[in-house]
Amino acid sequence: MDAGFFYSYHLGWTRLDARTLLGDLEAEGLRPAHPVTGRTVLVNLDSASLGARSPVTRGQLLSIAGLQRLREVGFRLWTDGGLDLLVRIRQARSGVVAVEFSVGELPEPEREHAVSAIRRTVGRASVLCIGFVVDRSGATAATDWDGVVIEGDAHLHSWPDTVAVRDETAARHPQLAVMDGVEMSPWKVYGNEVLGV
């Protein structure tokens, strides 16, 4: 996922969190079912069979997305206009789950709708959302975002549109600790798009 992206990070991720996230995304017009065929498919993300698809029911997707048996799952979300974006839910570090949305291939109006919809839903999906990163161009894709948001120690070589972390993470991060962020409970938010999140 090296195009534009929206990553969110959650503690205590469960099937209920996955169900809440998908339900909220569906209410925002981002659905796992293809708008014409109605099919929901998992997308294989490992290098051996990258992109291979497996049809599943909505219930199966919700069960798998809770990550009780898998380390990661990939699937597509569809917009009302028939465009799609890749989603990956994966086990990250220290018991944290990362939910990654690839938004860079969407045309601008659909991308902005998707970013806004995702932002509205990530905090509701898990009361333990510890932070998120928005980079519409993907310029910071090589950054160790797990290290920034989870551990508060990875170096930022360039800035995304927005990065939000908990206060204690910001305080221990060598770059964020010396910057002024905007308080948006439960996060401290940084970047040139802060007021747009």
Side-chain angles (χ1 to χ4, degrees):
M1 298 182 105
D2 57 358
F5 60 85
F6 190 124
Y7 296 166
S8 67
Y9 292 86
H10 306 262
L11 290 173
W13 185 260
T14 66
R15 288 180 182 155
L16 180 58
D17 294 312
R19 182 180 308 277
T20 301
L21 176 69
L22 286 174
D24 288 347
L25 288 168
E26 287 173 320
E28 294 279 356
L30 298 172
R31 297 175 180 83
H34 188 280
V36 175
T37 67
R39 297 179 85 186
T40 300
V41 295
L42 297 180
V43 178
N44 195 325
L45 301 171
D46 68 28
S47 58
S49 55
L50 186 62
R53 299 170 186 229
S54 304
V56 293
T57 66
R58 184 179 189 283
Q60 289 169 325
L61 175 61
L62 290 171
S63 180
I64 292 167
L67 297 187
Q68 272 63 55
R69 295 193 177 129
L70 300 174
R71 294 204 46 80
E72 75 173 21
V73 62
F75 57 95
R76 296 212 172 270
L77 287 177
W78 298 88
T79 68
D80 291 334
L83 300 170
D84 67 314
L85 60 140
L86 183 63
V87 180
R88 177 170 74 160
I89 302 175
R90 66 175 175 85
Q91 293 285 343
R93 302 175 189 162
S94 306
V96 174
V97 166
V99 183
E100 303 176 346
F101 301 86
S102 179
V103 298
E105 295 180 10
L106 293 172
E108 186 176 349
E110 289 83 0
R111 183 181 63 229
E112 291 311 306
H113 170 75
V115 166
S116 295
I118 295 163
R119 170 59 194 95
R120 286 189 295 271
T121 62
V122 296
R124 292 191 306 255
S126 171
V127 294
L128 297 175
C129 178
I130 62 170
F132 61 88
V133 182
V134 181
D135 183 342
R136 289 168 178 84
S137 70
T140 65
T143 300
D144 176 8
W145 287 114
D146 290 8
V148 173
V149 177
I150 298 169
E151 297 166 352
D153 61 5
H155 185 73
L156 295 170
H157 298 286
S158 58
W159 287 92
D161 299 317
T162 307
V163 59
V165 297
R166 290 211 166 157
D167 283 335
E168 60 272 17
T169 305
R172 72 176 173 264
H173 190 278
Q175 292 163 288
L176 299 179
V178 297
M179 296 186 64
D180 290 328
V182 175
E183 294 286 343
M184 296 177 75
S185 182
W187 311 291
K188 190 171 266 191
V189 185
Y190 304 85
N192 59 4
E193 298 278 334
V194 170
L195 298 178
V197 296

